[in-house]
Amino acid sequence: MTLLLEALQATDGDCLLLHHGSKATPHLILVDGGRSKSVDTTLMPRLEELRRAAAGGAGEPELAIELTVLSHIDADHVAGLVKLTQKMIDRQDAKEPTGWWLGEIWMNGFDQVLGNQETQRLLLPGAGPAPGGVAATVKQTCELRNNLDRLGVAVNHSMGGELVGRPDDHVVPVPWEDLELSVLAPTRAELQALETVWDKELQALRAGKPAGGDSEIINAASIVLLVEQDGRSLLLTGDARTEDIVRGLTAASRLRDGGPPCTVDVLKLPHHGADGNCTEELFERVHARHYVICAGPDDKNQNPDPRTLERLWAARGGDSKQWTLHVTFADGQVRHFDDWRRSHPAAQVVYRDAKAPGTMIELA
């Protein structure tokens, strides 16, 4: 069975393609859509390439993306999905083949938390001050939800239509074709915190005041997935915090206090390798054969943070031949990373080929 991860270059965002299944029956999962501008340059060309390969070069059939996961609603994860679905609608309206179809999507949007259309009404043009901060990303999520409705895409169907999270004290794996998908985070309590923050944003919008809440609550509510297939595993973390990842692994019985590290084949570093999300504890308690950083030369936050790289090296440098670090930018595009690479010649690093859409990890 195939298990292959493509981390596409999505500027400073996340956009992952997970290939699984067999050669006879291949399956595809999309996790996040990156920035809007990367849809034209990277995501759509790659999807078209995969569609043509599946069709043997012919015009049909459409490529099936059986599951899409929006880890959280930050613009560098959701904006690309908004644009991708809008492109599909435009083609549909023009009576043209869309090129691909979306099965189900897992997402936690504030409109679903509210359970009504109040968010959409408040964010209509002229309804009040232009939304900023948290409210701006909510607007994009509402646009995505509207696009999904027009395309007939099921939202959280496998979750019974509820928000995507886990009970506070355990994890319930979801069988998916040849995979087992375990939602490690957020918990129901974290989703409640999300609702509380958004209620405050709504009050500000109702009063005609500019909204701009703490985006950290959005990151804390990232969907963290443990993907497993025949003893192989990937840990996809969105922009989650270390404590939420560790709690999720503990709830799934993959970690215990005083026990050995959890070992996975692939760890996608949270929040593009940001200092605040990639702690010493993360690298000490989760060991991977492959580490992936989604970042780009235009990242205003200068990720991956050099402190993150040093923490990874401190935890795993002694067995550097046992792991590889993959990045979605090309050699020479991120100066501070290249400086770190030169100062750690024993580190095994795979840059994205400048002509490739992303970096690829195939698990044997």
Side-chain angles (χ1 to χ4, degrees):
M1 301 297 283
T2 299
L3 190 57
L4 185 153
L5 180 70
E6 279 189 86
L8 300 183
Q9 214 307 300
T11 68
D12 60 340
D14 276 15
C15 186
L16 309 172
L17 291 174
L18 182 61
H19 305 255
H20 64 105
S22 65
K23 289 184 178 180
T25 56
H27 298 286
L28 184 64
I29 295 175
L30 171 64
V31 180
D32 292 328
R35 292 284 186 185
S36 177
K37 64 182 179 181
S38 63
V39 171
D40 289 323
T41 61
T42 306
L43 178 55
M44 284 182 55
R46 181 55 178 148
L47 293 178
E48 177 61 17
E49 184 179 23
L50 291 170
R51 187 200 66 77
R52 288 185 175 275
E60 296 290 344
E62 293 181 329
L63 178 71
I65 303 173
E66 62 188 49
L67 176 64
T68 300
V69 180
L70 172 60
S71 66
H72 62 298
I73 67 173
D74 266 354
D76 54 335
H77 297 252
V78 67
L81 294 180
V82 174
K83 186 170 185 177
L84 178 69
T85 52
Q86 186 59 54
K87 292 271 191 181
M88 294 173 67
I89 289 170
D90 292 343
R91 291 181 178 183
Q92 185 173 271
D93 290 346
K95 310 298 184 184
E96 299 174 354
T98 57
W100 39 84
W101 62 268
L102 306 180
E104 180 177 348
I105 187 168
W106 292 359
M107 59 182 288
N108 289 331
F110 285 123
D111 58 330
Q112 293 151 277
V113 171
L114 289 171
N116 56 41
Q117 303 300 310
E118 188 168 12
T119 302
Q120 286 90 331
R121 291 198 301 271
L122 286 168
L123 295 175
L124 287 173
V134 171
T137 61
V138 172
K139 181 177 185 297
Q140 289 181 314
T141 309
C142 291
E143 292 171 357
L144 175 60
R145 183 59 187 267
N146 291 338
N147 288 353
L148 294 170
D149 288 344
R150 290 186 63 184
L151 292 168
V153 179
V155 178
N156 298 348
H157 175 73
S158 299
M159 303 293 166
E162 300 294 328
L163 292 171
V164 182
R166 68 170 176 87
D168 293 342
D169 59 352
H170 66 281
V171 170
V172 181
V174 178
W176 193 277
E177 301 293 344
D178 54 306
L179 303 177
E180 189 169 80
L181 307 179
S182 296
V183 177
L184 304 185
T187 63
R188 298 299 177 191
E190 286 160 343
L191 289 172
Q192 181 63 49
L194 186 76
E195 182 178 9
T196 299
V197 167
W198 182 238
D199 284 345
K200 294 179 180 178
E201 294 295 299
L202 281 179
Q203 291 172 15
L205 286 169
R206 289 192 194 101
K209 298 177 181 178
D214 183 4
S215 64
E216 283 304 308
I217 193 65
I218 294 177
N219 292 340
S222 286
I223 297 172
V224 177
L225 280 183
L226 178 64
V227 180
E228 297 176 287
Q229 180 208 71
D230 296 334
R232 295 172 289 187
S233 56
L234 305 94
L235 185 54
L236 308 179
T237 59
D239 284 3
R241 303 170 300 187
T242 292
E243 54 263 41
D244 298 318
I245 298 168
V246 168
R247 277 199 295 265
L249 289 169
T250 302
S253 300
R254 300 305 196 278
L255 272 177
R256 60 182 177 83
D257 289 342
C262 170
T263 58
V264 295
D265 290 291
V266 177
L267 169 61
K268 199 285 298 184
L269 266 62
H271 209 175
H272 322 290
D275 169 48
N277 300 72
C278 299
T279 65
E280 292 91 342
E281 182 183 16
L282 177 64
F283 297 127
E284 289 169 357
R285 304 206 66 185
V286 182
H287 287 186
R289 290 199 297 126
H290 302 276
Y291 297 88
V292 181
I293 298 177
C294 299
D298 48 359
D299 189 335
K300 65 181 184 297
N301 296 313
Q302 295 295 296
N303 288 322
D305 194 292
R307 289 167 290 192
T308 291
L309 301 172
E310 285 302 321
R311 288 168 186 159
L312 174 59
W313 187 255
R316 300 298 311 279
D319 60 348
S320 60
K321 292 184 179 180
Q322 305 302 314
W323 56 276
T324 303
L325 177 58
H326 305 255
V327 295
T328 59
F329 45 85
D331 190 357
Q333 287 189 328
V334 179
R335 180 177 298 179
H336 68 269
F337 181 88
D338 295 334
D339 291 343
W340 178 85
R341 174 71 182 87
R342 282 189 292 270
S343 65
H344 298 78
Q348 298 188 85
V349 173
V350 175
Y351 290 92
R352 176 181 63 84
D353 186 301
K355 297 180 180 179
T359 185
M360 190 177 297
I361 303 167
E362 183 168 9
L363 300 180

